[in-house]
Amino acid sequence: MGHVEVEVGVGDLEGGKIMRTKALVDTGATLTIIPEDLANRLGLKRVGEKVKVVTASGFEELELSHALIEIGSKRRITPVLISNKIDRVIIGVVTLEAMQLRVNPVTEKLEEFTALFFTNRLFPSQILIMFMRFFSF
């Protein structure tokens, strides 16, 4: 699969200041990462915690914050990591899951999906029936 790029809005928590940019969707990234200069322009507050991550350049500790992310008609406040080493927004799976979006590997585009919710009180046969209904078997 190639690279999936999307137009996104990144904003402060109140949605008063939103900046539009192209972002790379990375299904191998857990959290969304934004460049430090973008975080500073938006006035995003750091929560005082650093998150240890593994990147292509090795281990790093990135500052944790929260931002409003817009993709299409969907808007969510999501945790973001702030990096002084990247120059573009990288959308991770936590943001995608919160927006009920996934990458279609054939079209290489984002698509909506219906979230699944299972409790530990379901019997395996009930889960199988739900699975079959969801995927129209």
Short mmCIF file of all heavy atoms in Angstrom, two decimals, residues 81-134:
data_model
loop_
_atom_site.label_atom_id
_atom_site.label_comp_id
_atom_site.label_asym_id
_atom_site.label_seq_id
_atom_site.Cartn_x
_atom_site.Cartn_y
_atom_site.Cartn_z
N LEU A 81 0.99 14.03 19.99
CA LEU A 81 2.38 14.19 20.42
C LEU A 81 2.98 15.32 19.61
O LEU A 81 2.66 15.51 18.44
CB LEU A 81 3.16 12.90 20.20
CG LEU A 81 2.64 11.68 20.97
CD1 LEU A 81 3.46 10.45 20.62
CD2 LEU A 81 2.66 11.94 22.47
N ILE A 82 3.87 16.08 20.24
CA ILE A 82 4.49 17.23 19.61
C ILE A 82 5.96 16.91 19.34
O ILE A 82 6.69 16.52 20.25
CB ILE A 82 4.35 18.48 20.49
CG1 ILE A 82 2.86 18.78 20.70
CG2 ILE A 82 5.08 19.66 19.89
CD1 ILE A 82 2.58 19.84 21.73
N SER A 83 6.36 17.08 18.07
CA SER A 83 7.72 16.74 17.67
C SER A 83 8.40 17.94 17.03
O SER A 83 7.81 18.65 16.22
CB SER A 83 7.70 15.58 16.67
OG SER A 83 8.99 15.35 16.15
N ASN A 84 9.67 18.11 17.38
CA ASN A 84 10.47 19.17 16.74
C ASN A 84 11.28 18.60 15.57
O ASN A 84 12.10 19.29 14.99
CB ASN A 84 11.38 19.87 17.74
CG ASN A 84 12.38 18.92 18.39
OD1 ASN A 84 12.45 17.74 18.05
ND2 ASN A 84 13.14 19.43 19.33
N LYS A 85 11.04 17.33 15.20
CA LYS A 85 11.80 16.70 14.13
C LYS A 85 10.99 16.45 12.86
O LYS A 85 11.55 16.11 11.84
CB LYS A 85 12.38 15.37 14.60
CG LYS A 85 13.44 15.54 15.67
CD LYS A 85 14.07 14.23 16.02
CE LYS A 85 15.14 14.46 17.06
NZ LYS A 85 15.75 13.21 17.48
N ILE A 86 9.67 16.57 12.92
CA ILE A 86 8.86 16.33 11.72
C ILE A 86 8.32 17.65 11.19
O ILE A 86 8.21 18.63 11.93
CB ILE A 86 7.70 15.35 11.99
CG1 ILE A 86 6.71 15.94 13.01
CG2 ILE A 86 8.20 13.99 12.44
CD1 ILE A 86 5.39 15.24 13.05
N ASP A 87 7.98 17.65 9.90
CA ASP A 87 7.49 18.88 9.29
C ASP A 87 6.06 18.75 8.77
O ASP A 87 5.58 19.61 8.05
CB ASP A 87 8.41 19.31 8.16
CG ASP A 87 8.51 18.27 7.05
OD1 ASP A 87 7.95 17.17 7.21
OD2 ASP A 87 9.14 18.57 6.03
N ARG A 88 5.40 17.65 9.13
CA ARG A 88 4.01 17.46 8.70
C ARG A 88 3.24 16.70 9.76
O ARG A 88 3.81 16.04 10.61
CB ARG A 88 3.96 16.73 7.37
CG ARG A 88 4.44 15.30 7.47
CD ARG A 88 4.58 14.63 6.14
NE ARG A 88 3.36 14.74 5.36
CZ ARG A 88 3.20 14.21 4.18
NH1 ARG A 88 4.16 13.53 3.63
NH2 ARG A 88 2.07 14.34 3.53
N VAL A 89 1.92 16.79 9.68
CA VAL A 89 1.05 16.07 10.61
C VAL A 89 1.00 14.61 10.19
O VAL A 89 0.89 14.29 9.02
CB VAL A 89 -0.37 16.69 10.60
CG1 VAL A 89 -1.33 15.87 11.46
CG2 VAL A 89 -0.33 18.13 11.08
N ILE A 90 1.09 13.73 11.18
CA ILE A 90 0.95 12.29 10.97
C ILE A 90 -0.26 11.83 11.78
O ILE A 90 -0.30 12.00 12.99
CB ILE A 90 2.21 11.52 11.40
CG1 ILE A 90 3.40 11.99 10.56
CG2 ILE A 90 2.00 10.02 11.28
CD1 ILE A 90 4.73 11.45 11.00
N ILE A 91 -1.25 11.29 11.10
CA ILE A 91 -2.47 10.83 11.77
C ILE A 91 -2.29 9.37 12.19
O ILE A 91 -2.03 8.51 11.35
CB ILE A 91 -3.70 10.95 10.84
CG1 ILE A 91 -3.90 12.40 10.39
CG2 ILE A 91 -4.95 10.40 11.51
CD1 ILE A 91 -4.27 13.36 11.48
N GLY A 92 -2.43 9.11 13.48
CA GLY A 92 -2.30 7.76 14.02
C GLY A 92 -3.64 7.07 14.22
O GLY A 92 -4.71 7.67 14.04
N VAL A 93 -3.58 5.80 14.62
CA VAL A 93 -4.79 4.99 14.69
C VAL A 93 -5.75 5.41 15.81
O VAL A 93 -6.95 5.19 15.69
CB VAL A 93 -4.47 3.48 14.80
CG1 VAL A 93 -3.82 2.98 13.53
CG2 VAL A 93 -3.63 3.17 16.00
N VAL A 94 -5.26 6.00 16.89
CA VAL A 94 -6.18 6.45 17.94
C VAL A 94 -7.13 7.50 17.38
O VAL A 94 -8.34 7.44 17.61
CB VAL A 94 -5.41 6.98 19.17
CG1 VAL A 94 -6.33 7.69 20.14
CG2 VAL A 94 -4.67 5.84 19.87
N THR A 95 -6.61 8.42 16.60
CA THR A 95 -7.45 9.44 15.96
C THR A 95 -8.40 8.80 14.95
O THR A 95 -9.59 9.12 14.91
CB THR A 95 -6.58 10.52 15.29
OG1 THR A 95 -5.77 11.13 16.30
CG2 THR A 95 -7.43 11.57 14.61
N LEU A 96 -7.88 7.89 14.14
CA LEU A 96 -8.72 7.22 13.14
C LEU A 96 -9.87 6.46 13.82
O LEU A 96 -11.02 6.56 13.40
CB LEU A 96 -7.90 6.26 12.29
CG LEU A 96 -6.89 6.88 11.34
CD1 LEU A 96 -6.10 5.78 10.65
CD2 LEU A 96 -7.56 7.78 10.34
N GLU A 97 -9.55 5.70 14.86
CA GLU A 97 -10.58 4.93 15.57
C GLU A 97 -11.62 5.85 16.19
O GLU A 97 -12.81 5.56 16.13
CB GLU A 97 -9.94 4.04 16.65
CG GLU A 97 -9.11 2.91 16.10
CD GLU A 97 -9.95 1.73 15.62
OE1 GLU A 97 -11.07 1.55 16.12
OE2 GLU A 97 -9.46 1.00 14.76
N ALA A 98 -11.18 6.94 16.79
CA ALA A 98 -12.12 7.87 17.42
C ALA A 98 -13.08 8.47 16.39
O ALA A 98 -14.22 8.79 16.71
CB ALA A 98 -11.36 8.99 18.14
N MET A 99 -12.61 8.62 15.15
CA MET A 99 -13.44 9.18 14.09
C MET A 99 -14.17 8.11 13.28
O MET A 99 -14.85 8.44 12.32
CB MET A 99 -12.57 10.02 13.15
CG MET A 99 -12.02 11.24 13.81
SD MET A 99 -11.14 12.23 12.59
CE MET A 99 -11.09 13.78 13.44
N GLN A 100 -14.00 6.86 13.67
CA GLN A 100 -14.58 5.72 12.94
C GLN A 100 -14.18 5.77 11.46
O GLN A 100 -14.99 5.66 10.56
CB GLN A 100 -16.09 5.69 13.10
CG GLN A 100 -16.53 5.35 14.51
CD GLN A 100 -18.02 5.31 14.66
OE1 GLN A 100 -18.63 6.31 14.99
NE2 GLN A 100 -18.60 4.14 14.41
N LEU A 101 -12.87 5.92 11.26
CA LEU A 101 -12.28 5.93 9.92
C LEU A 101 -11.24 4.83 9.83
O LEU A 101 -10.58 4.52 10.82
CB LEU A 101 -11.63 7.28 9.62
CG LEU A 101 -12.56 8.49 9.53
CD1 LEU A 101 -11.74 9.77 9.43
CD2 LEU A 101 -13.50 8.35 8.34
N ARG A 102 -11.09 4.27 8.64
CA ARG A 102 -10.04 3.29 8.39
C ARG A 102 -9.54 3.48 6.97
O ARG A 102 -10.22 4.07 6.13
CB ARG A 102 -10.55 1.87 8.60
CG ARG A 102 -11.63 1.45 7.63
CD ARG A 102 -12.10 0.04 7.90
NE ARG A 102 -13.31 -0.24 7.10
CZ ARG A 102 -14.20 -1.14 7.43
NH1 ARG A 102 -14.05 -1.85 8.53
NH2 ARG A 102 -15.25 -1.35 6.67
N VAL A 103 -8.35 2.94 6.71
CA VAL A 103 -7.78 3.02 5.38
C VAL A 103 -8.27 1.83 4.56
O VAL A 103 -8.16 0.68 5.00
CB VAL A 103 -6.24 3.02 5.44
CG1 VAL A 103 -5.65 2.96 4.03
CG2 VAL A 103 -5.73 4.23 6.20
N ASN A 104 -8.83 2.12 3.40
CA ASN A 104 -9.18 1.07 2.46
C ASN A 104 -7.92 0.76 1.66
O ASN A 104 -7.42 1.63 0.94
CB ASN A 104 -10.30 1.53 1.53
CG ASN A 104 -10.72 0.47 0.54
OD1 ASN A 104 -9.89 -0.24 -0.02
ND2 ASN A 104 -12.01 0.37 0.33
N PRO A 105 -7.37 -0.46 1.79
CA PRO A 105 -6.10 -0.76 1.12
C PRO A 105 -6.20 -0.83 -0.40
O PRO A 105 -5.19 -0.70 -1.08
CB PRO A 105 -5.71 -2.13 1.70
CG PRO A 105 -6.97 -2.73 2.18
CD PRO A 105 -7.87 -1.59 2.56
N VAL A 106 -7.39 -0.98 -0.93
CA VAL A 106 -7.57 -1.04 -2.38
C VAL A 106 -7.58 0.37 -2.98
O VAL A 106 -6.86 0.67 -3.93
CB VAL A 106 -8.85 -1.81 -2.76
CG1 VAL A 106 -9.09 -1.77 -4.27
CG2 VAL A 106 -8.78 -3.24 -2.26
N THR A 107 -8.40 1.24 -2.39
CA THR A 107 -8.53 2.60 -2.92
C THR A 107 -7.49 3.56 -2.35
O THR A 107 -7.30 4.64 -2.88
CB THR A 107 -9.93 3.18 -2.60
OG1 THR A 107 -10.08 3.28 -1.18
CG2 THR A 107 -11.02 2.31 -3.19
N GLU A 108 -6.85 3.15 -1.26
CA GLU A 108 -5.89 3.98 -0.53
C GLU A 108 -6.51 5.30 -0.10
O GLU A 108 -5.90 6.36 -0.15
CB GLU A 108 -4.62 4.21 -1.36
CG GLU A 108 -3.87 2.92 -1.61
CD GLU A 108 -2.54 3.13 -2.31
OE1 GLU A 108 -2.26 4.26 -2.78
OE2 GLU A 108 -1.79 2.15 -2.41
N LYS A 109 -7.77 5.21 0.34
CA LYS A 109 -8.49 6.36 0.86
C LYS A 109 -9.11 5.99 2.21
O LYS A 109 -9.28 4.82 2.53
CB LYS A 109 -9.58 6.79 -0.11
CG LYS A 109 -9.05 7.27 -1.45
CD LYS A 109 -10.13 7.93 -2.25
CE LYS A 109 -9.67 8.39 -3.59
NZ LYS A 109 -8.49 9.16 -3.65
N LEU A 110 -9.46 7.02 2.98
CA LEU A 110 -10.15 6.77 4.24
C LEU A 110 -11.61 6.49 3.96
O LEU A 110 -12.21 7.07 3.05
CB LEU A 110 -10.03 7.98 5.16
CG LEU A 110 -8.64 8.29 5.70
CD1 LEU A 110 -8.69 9.52 6.59
CD2 LEU A 110 -8.07 7.10 6.44
N GLU A 111 -12.19 5.60 4.77
CA GLU A 111 -13.61 5.30 4.68
C GLU A 111 -14.17 5.15 6.08
O GLU A 111 -13.45 4.81 7.01
CB GLU A 111 -13.87 4.04 3.86
CG GLU A 111 -13.29 2.78 4.46
CD GLU A 111 -13.50 1.55 3.60
OE1 GLU A 111 -13.73 1.68 2.38
OE2 GLU A 111 -13.44 0.44 4.16
N GLU A 112 -15.45 5.42 6.21
CA GLU A 112 -16.12 5.27 7.51
C GLU A 112 -16.41 3.81 7.77
O GLU A 112 -16.57 3.02 6.84
CB GLU A 112 -17.42 6.06 7.52
CG GLU A 112 -17.20 7.56 7.48
CD GLU A 112 -18.49 8.34 7.65
OE1 GLU A 112 -19.40 7.85 8.36
OE2 GLU A 112 -18.57 9.44 7.09
N PHE A 113 -16.49 3.45 9.05
CA PHE A 113 -16.89 2.11 9.44
C PHE A 113 -17.76 2.19 10.68
O PHE A 113 -17.76 3.19 11.39
CB PHE A 113 -15.67 1.19 9.68
CG PHE A 113 -14.89 1.53 10.92
CD1 PHE A 113 -15.16 0.90 12.13
CD2 PHE A 113 -13.87 2.47 10.89
CE1 PHE A 113 -14.45 1.20 13.28
CE2 PHE A 113 -13.14 2.77 12.03
CZ PHE A 113 -13.44 2.14 13.22
N THR A 114 -18.51 1.13 10.91
CA THR A 114 -19.35 1.05 12.10
C THR A 114 -18.55 0.41 13.21
O THR A 114 -17.97 -0.66 13.03
CB THR A 114 -20.61 0.20 11.81
OG1 THR A 114 -21.31 0.79 10.72
CG2 THR A 114 -21.51 0.12 13.03
N ALA A 115 -18.50 1.07 14.34
CA ALA A 115 -17.74 0.55 15.47
C ALA A 115 -18.41 -0.69 16.03
O ALA A 115 -19.64 -0.81 16.04
CB ALA A 115 -17.61 1.62 16.56
N LEU A 116 -17.60 -1.62 16.48
CA LEU A 116 -18.10 -2.84 17.12
C LEU A 116 -17.97 -2.69 18.62
O LEU A 116 -17.00 -2.14 19.12
CB LEU A 116 -17.29 -4.05 16.66
CG LEU A 116 -17.35 -4.38 15.18
CD1 LEU A 116 -16.40 -5.51 14.86
CD2 LEU A 116 -18.75 -4.74 14.77
N PHE A 117 -18.95 -3.20 19.33
CA PHE A 117 -18.90 -3.17 20.78
C PHE A 117 -19.29 -4.55 21.30
O PHE A 117 -20.40 -5.03 21.04
CB PHE A 117 -19.86 -2.12 21.35
CG PHE A 117 -19.90 -2.13 22.84
CD1 PHE A 117 -18.84 -1.64 23.57
CD2 PHE A 117 -20.99 -2.65 23.52
CE1 PHE A 117 -18.87 -1.65 24.96
CE2 PHE A 117 -21.03 -2.67 24.90
CZ PHE A 117 -19.95 -2.17 25.62
N PHE A 118 -18.38 -5.18 21.98
CA PHE A 118 -18.64 -6.49 22.56
C PHE A 118 -18.39 -6.42 24.05
O PHE A 118 -17.48 -5.75 24.51
CB PHE A 118 -17.70 -7.56 21.96
CG PHE A 118 -17.93 -7.81 20.51
CD1 PHE A 118 -17.09 -7.27 19.56
CD2 PHE A 118 -19.01 -8.57 20.09
CE1 PHE A 118 -17.29 -7.50 18.21
CE2 PHE A 118 -19.23 -8.80 18.75
CZ PHE A 118 -18.37 -8.27 17.81
N THR A 119 -19.19 -7.14 24.78
CA THR A 119 -18.94 -7.27 26.21
C THR A 119 -18.46 -8.68 26.47
O THR A 119 -18.60 -9.57 25.64
CB THR A 119 -20.22 -7.01 27.04
OG1 THR A 119 -21.14 -8.06 26.79
CG2 THR A 119 -20.84 -5.67 26.69
N ASN A 120 -17.93 -8.90 27.63
CA ASN A 120 -17.46 -10.25 27.97
C ASN A 120 -18.62 -11.17 28.36
O ASN A 120 -18.40 -12.30 28.74
CB ASN A 120 -16.41 -10.19 29.07
CG ASN A 120 -16.95 -9.57 30.34
OD1 ASN A 120 -18.10 -9.15 30.40
ND2 ASN A 120 -16.12 -9.50 31.35
N ARG A 121 -19.84 -10.69 28.26
CA ARG A 121 -21.00 -11.51 28.61
C ARG A 121 -21.60 -12.22 27.40
O ARG A 121 -22.57 -12.93 27.52
CB ARG A 121 -22.06 -10.66 29.30
CG ARG A 121 -21.55 -10.10 30.60
CD ARG A 121 -22.57 -9.16 31.20
NE ARG A 121 -21.94 -8.38 32.23
CZ ARG A 121 -22.09 -8.60 33.53
NH1 ARG A 121 -22.87 -9.56 33.94
NH2 ARG A 121 -21.48 -7.86 34.40
N LEU A 122 -21.05 -11.99 26.23
CA LEU A 122 -21.56 -12.65 25.03
C LEU A 122 -20.94 -14.04 24.90
O LEU A 122 -19.77 -14.24 25.18
CB LEU A 122 -21.24 -11.84 23.78
CG LEU A 122 -21.96 -10.51 23.64
CD1 LEU A 122 -21.46 -9.78 22.41
CD2 LEU A 122 -23.46 -10.70 23.56
N PHE A 123 -21.74 -14.97 24.45
CA PHE A 123 -21.24 -16.31 24.16
C PHE A 123 -20.60 -16.31 22.78
O PHE A 123 -20.96 -15.51 21.92
CB PHE A 123 -22.39 -17.32 24.23
CG PHE A 123 -22.97 -17.48 25.60
CD1 PHE A 123 -24.20 -16.90 25.91
CD2 PHE A 123 -22.28 -18.19 26.58
CE1 PHE A 123 -24.73 -17.03 27.18
CE2 PHE A 123 -22.82 -18.33 27.85
CZ PHE A 123 -24.03 -17.74 28.16
N PRO A 124 -19.66 -17.20 22.55
CA PRO A 124 -19.01 -17.26 21.23
C PRO A 124 -19.99 -17.36 20.07
O PRO A 124 -19.78 -16.75 19.02
CB PRO A 124 -18.12 -18.50 21.33
CG PRO A 124 -17.82 -18.62 22.79
CD PRO A 124 -19.07 -18.15 23.49
N SER A 125 -21.08 -18.11 20.24
CA SER A 125 -22.05 -18.23 19.15
C SER A 125 -22.72 -16.89 18.87
O SER A 125 -23.01 -16.55 17.72
CB SER A 125 -23.10 -19.29 19.48
OG SER A 125 -23.79 -18.94 20.66
N GLN A 126 -22.96 -16.07 19.91
CA GLN A 126 -23.55 -14.76 19.71
C GLN A 126 -22.59 -13.84 18.96
O GLN A 126 -23.00 -13.08 18.09
CB GLN A 126 -23.91 -14.13 21.06
CG GLN A 126 -25.06 -14.82 21.78
CD GLN A 126 -25.24 -14.26 23.17
OE1 GLN A 126 -24.31 -14.29 23.97
NE2 GLN A 126 -26.44 -13.77 23.45
N ILE A 127 -21.32 -13.93 19.29
CA ILE A 127 -20.31 -13.11 18.61
C ILE A 127 -20.24 -13.50 17.14
O ILE A 127 -20.19 -12.65 16.26
CB ILE A 127 -18.95 -13.26 19.31
CG1 ILE A 127 -19.02 -12.66 20.71
CG2 ILE A 127 -17.85 -12.60 18.48
CD1 ILE A 127 -17.81 -12.91 21.57
N LEU A 128 -20.29 -14.81 16.85
CA LEU A 128 -20.24 -15.27 15.48
C LEU A 128 -21.44 -14.76 14.68
O LEU A 128 -21.30 -14.29 13.55
CB LEU A 128 -20.18 -16.80 15.43
CG LEU A 128 -20.16 -17.44 14.05
CD1 LEU A 128 -18.92 -16.97 13.28
CD2 LEU A 128 -20.18 -18.95 14.16
N ILE A 129 -22.62 -14.80 15.27
CA ILE A 129 -23.82 -14.31 14.58
C ILE A 129 -23.70 -12.81 14.32
O ILE A 129 -24.00 -12.34 13.22
CB ILE A 129 -25.09 -14.64 15.41
CG1 ILE A 129 -25.35 -16.15 15.39
CG2 ILE A 129 -26.30 -13.86 14.89
CD1 ILE A 129 -26.37 -16.61 16.40
N MET A 130 -23.23 -12.04 15.30
CA MET A 130 -23.06 -10.60 15.10
C MET A 130 -22.03 -10.32 14.01
O MET A 130 -22.23 -9.45 13.16
CB MET A 130 -22.66 -9.94 16.42
CG MET A 130 -23.77 -9.92 17.45
SD MET A 130 -23.21 -9.27 19.03
CE MET A 130 -22.94 -7.57 18.62
N PHE A 131 -20.95 -11.07 14.02
CA PHE A 131 -19.91 -10.91 13.02
C PHE A 131 -20.47 -11.18 11.62
O PHE A 131 -20.23 -10.42 10.68
CB PHE A 131 -18.75 -11.86 13.33
CG PHE A 131 -17.60 -11.77 12.37
CD1 PHE A 131 -16.65 -10.77 12.50
CD2 PHE A 131 -17.48 -12.67 11.34
CE1 PHE A 131 -15.59 -10.69 11.62
CE2 PHE A 131 -16.42 -12.61 10.45
CZ PHE A 131 -15.48 -11.60 10.60
N MET A 132 -21.24 -12.23 11.50
CA MET A 132 -21.80 -12.61 10.20
C MET A 132 -22.81 -11.55 9.72
O MET A 132 -22.84 -11.21 8.54
CB MET A 132 -22.46 -13.99 10.27
CG MET A 132 -21.43 -15.11 10.45
SD MET A 132 -22.15 -16.71 10.77
CE MET A 132 -22.97 -17.04 9.22
N ARG A 133 -23.60 -10.98 10.62
CA ARG A 133 -24.53 -9.94 10.24
C ARG A 133 -23.80 -8.66 9.83
O ARG A 133 -24.18 -8.01 8.87
CB ARG A 133 -25.48 -9.63 11.40
CG ARG A 133 -26.53 -10.68 11.59
CD ARG A 133 -27.49 -10.28 12.70
NE ARG A 133 -28.44 -11.35 12.94
CZ ARG A 133 -29.07 -11.53 14.07
NH1 ARG A 133 -28.87 -10.69 15.09
NH2 ARG A 133 -29.92 -12.52 14.21
N PHE A 134 -22.74 -8.34 10.56
CA PHE A 134 -21.98 -7.13 10.27
C PHE A 134 -21.35 -7.20 8.89
O PHE A 134 -21.36 -6.25 8.14
CB PHE A 134 -20.91 -6.92 11.35
CG PHE A 134 -20.10 -5.68 11.13
CD1 PHE A 134 -20.62 -4.43 11.44
CD2 PHE A 134 -18.82 -5.75 10.62
CE1 PHE A 134 -19.87 -3.28 11.25
CE2 PHE A 134 -18.07 -4.60 10.42
CZ PHE A 134 -18.61 -3.37 10.74
#
